[in-house]
Amino acid sequence: MKNTGTAFWLHAALLTVFIGASSAPSPLYEFYAREWGLGSAAVTVIFAVYAVAVLLTLLVVGSLANHFGTRPVLLGAVALQIGAMMTFAFAPGPEVLLAARALQGVATGAAMGAAGAALLAFEGPKRRGRGSLVNSAASPIGLSIGALGSASVVRFLPEPTKTVYFFLAALLLVLGAALLRLPSAGQVAPGWLRSLMPEARIPGSARKTMASTMPVAAATWALAGFYLSLGPALAHAITRDNSVLVGGLALFALFVPGALAILVVRRRSDRTTLLTGVISLITGISLTVLAVQLGSAPLYFAGTVVAGVGFGSGYFGAMRMTLPLCGPHERVGMLSSIYLICYLGFSVPAVAAGLLVAVAGMKGTTLIYGAALVLAAIPALLRTLRKNPAHRPTLAAGSPAAS
């Protein structure tokens, strides 16, 4: 197939932009809260509406690319995302903001499975594992660029609640036009109407592995959900600096180390990668919780960086161990199932944290939330340590890491 290299990187860019757009509103939540008198619970609900919309879309249209190919699904997702950006830009109140987040969730849910499947299809036989790598790295890279980029726009450019969305809409237009000139992954097949029935498709060959890896992936995304919804407010409180850049830097400190960790561990064994993620996650969360209790900004950012390493390597380890276990016709359904699990972790705990702030305060909520994530990660740590404890990890020939 011609232009597969270009098609691969275009789909990588599309996936990164879609995920980056999802974090762009985060630095603006406090602005919206002041403007419309919203509490922490309302802010987390607005945040979580996106995740719920992603989940429902993944369940309903997650396999649509198996019947029409990836390009039509992605073009539809681009159109919806541009509509969401315009709705954000002109939202007069929280109700329209909720609608914008829901529309953005539908667009992102449609795009994630299709773009991820296209990455696996266009990675090429000589670059085996590159699709899994980019599928994993796109999340922390997109989230960090979206958060810090949005914070910078808010701080330095006029019309902060409009400019960032206009920029993202223009970028999506360019990528959508480029998509028209490149090949589509997948084949046209009948049965698309039947595929709209909600169903999580996990191949039998992957179920045992997913049972041990997905709790870790869900925990990493629960951490991301907390930072994206309440992270900027927590950073402002602990640093006593209300600059929007401080909130953006807190998100950047979590997600950039996550992306770098993926690049570092990508040639390690699956077990070592997952073990690195779990240990870093537990250590980083513990340091961050301690920093909040002590009121130490340096320790808070240091703990966030370590937790970011856990986010990236833990999520990548889980993805790399599961994605190669599915066949070409199972890719979209498999990715949809993984994203479904991750986005449940992403949304439900964050809403619970928003409700808890009113009762326990930010400091108490951070302590309870952090303790819950550490407890969730400990069983995975024990299982990983018990598995071949004397074995020194090596790269197996032909493993996904050998890319």
Side-chain angles (χ1 to χ4, degrees):
M1 184 184 292
K2 296 180 179 179
N3 298 323
T4 54
T6 304
F8 179 88
W9 291 113
L10 174 66
H11 286 89
L14 266 173
L15 184 59
T16 304
V17 170
F18 267 92
I19 294 174
S22 72
S23 67
S26 291
L28 293 166
Y29 283 145
E30 285 191 285
F31 172 86
Y32 293 134
R34 289 194 303 269
E35 186 77 9
W36 299 324
L38 305 177
S40 57
V43 169
T44 53
V45 168
I46 291 171
F47 161 79
V49 162
Y50 160 82
V52 172
V54 170
L55 289 175
L56 293 176
T57 306
L58 284 171
L59 281 173
V60 176
V61 304
S63 297
L64 209 58
N66 285 333
H67 302 278
F68 294 102
T70 56
R71 182 165 56 192
V73 175
L74 287 170
L75 288 173
V78 167
L80 289 175
Q81 186 77 305
I82 291 173
M85 295 299 100
M86 294 300 98
T87 307
F88 272 120
F90 297 103
E95 296 83 6
V96 179
L97 196 65
L98 277 169
R101 272 306 253 178
L103 184 59
Q104 184 182 43
V106 172
T108 307
M112 289 177 77
L119 286 171
L120 295 176
F122 291 129
E123 67 180 355
K126 294 182 180 179
R127 295 282 188 173
R128 186 167 177 255
R130 187 171 62 166
S132 298
L133 174 65
V134 175
N135 265 307
S136 302
S139 292
I141 291 173
L143 290 169
S144 59
I145 293 174
L148 190 60
S150 176
S152 301
V153 168
V154 172
R155 176 65 179 83
F156 296 114
L157 294 180
E159 297 288 346
T161 59
K162 292 182 173 62
T163 304
V164 64
Y165 301 122
F166 290 158
F167 174 79
L168 286 167
L171 185 57
L172 286 162
L173 273 174
V174 172
L175 292 173
L179 191 64
L180 290 169
R181 303 175 60 88
L182 291 171
S184 175
Q187 298 177 351
V188 177
W192 69 270
L193 194 58
R194 196 183 315 115
S195 75
L196 297 180
M197 292 295 293
E199 181 181 359
R201 295 178 177 85
I202 301 174
S205 57
R207 287 172 188 168
K208 185 176 180 181
T209 300
M210 286 187 71
S212 62
T213 58
M214 286 301 105
V216 177
T220 62
W221 277 93
L223 177 66
F226 180 83
Y227 268 80
L228 285 168
S229 58
L230 298 175
L234 180 59
H236 293 158
I238 201 168
T239 61
R240 297 178 177 86
D241 186 340
N242 289 325
S243 170
V244 69
L245 286 177
V246 171
L249 285 172
L251 302 178
F252 197 76
L254 179 73
F255 295 122
V256 168
L260 294 176
I262 290 173
L263 296 176
V264 171
V265 301
R266 66 191 177 96
R267 295 189 181 277
R268 307 279 179 86
S269 72
D270 294 347
R271 177 177 175 270
T272 300
T273 299
L274 195 60
L275 188 62
T276 300
V278 175
I279 291 175
S280 300
L281 193 68
I282 291 173
T283 304
I285 291 171
S286 300
L287 289 174
T288 303
V289 170
L290 179 62
V292 172
Q293 306 312 306
L294 297 176
S296 171
L299 185 60
Y300 170 76
F301 280 98
T304 298
V305 168
V306 177
V309 173
F311 171 75
S313 51
Y315 177 56
F316 176 54
M319 289 280 277
R320 197 177 70 178
M321 290 175 71
T322 54
L323 285 179
L325 301 178
C326 64
H329 64 288
E330 298 169 321
R331 286 169 178 163
V332 175
M334 177 79 154
L335 280 164
S336 296
S337 299
I338 291 174
Y339 287 136
L340 176 65
I341 293 166
C342 291
Y343 270 80
L344 280 172
F346 190 51
S347 57
V348 176
V351 173
L355 296 172
L356 189 60
V357 167
V359 178
M362 188 66 79
K363 184 181 288 189
T365 298
T366 304
L367 176 61
I368 295 168
Y369 199 95
L373 291 187
V374 168
L375 289 173
I378 285 176
L381 174 64
L382 296 177
R383 282 196 303 268
T384 309
L385 288 173
R386 281 200 302 267
K387 187 176 179 180
N388 300 325
H391 176 67
R392 183 181 179 127
T394 57
L395 256 175
S399 73
S403 60

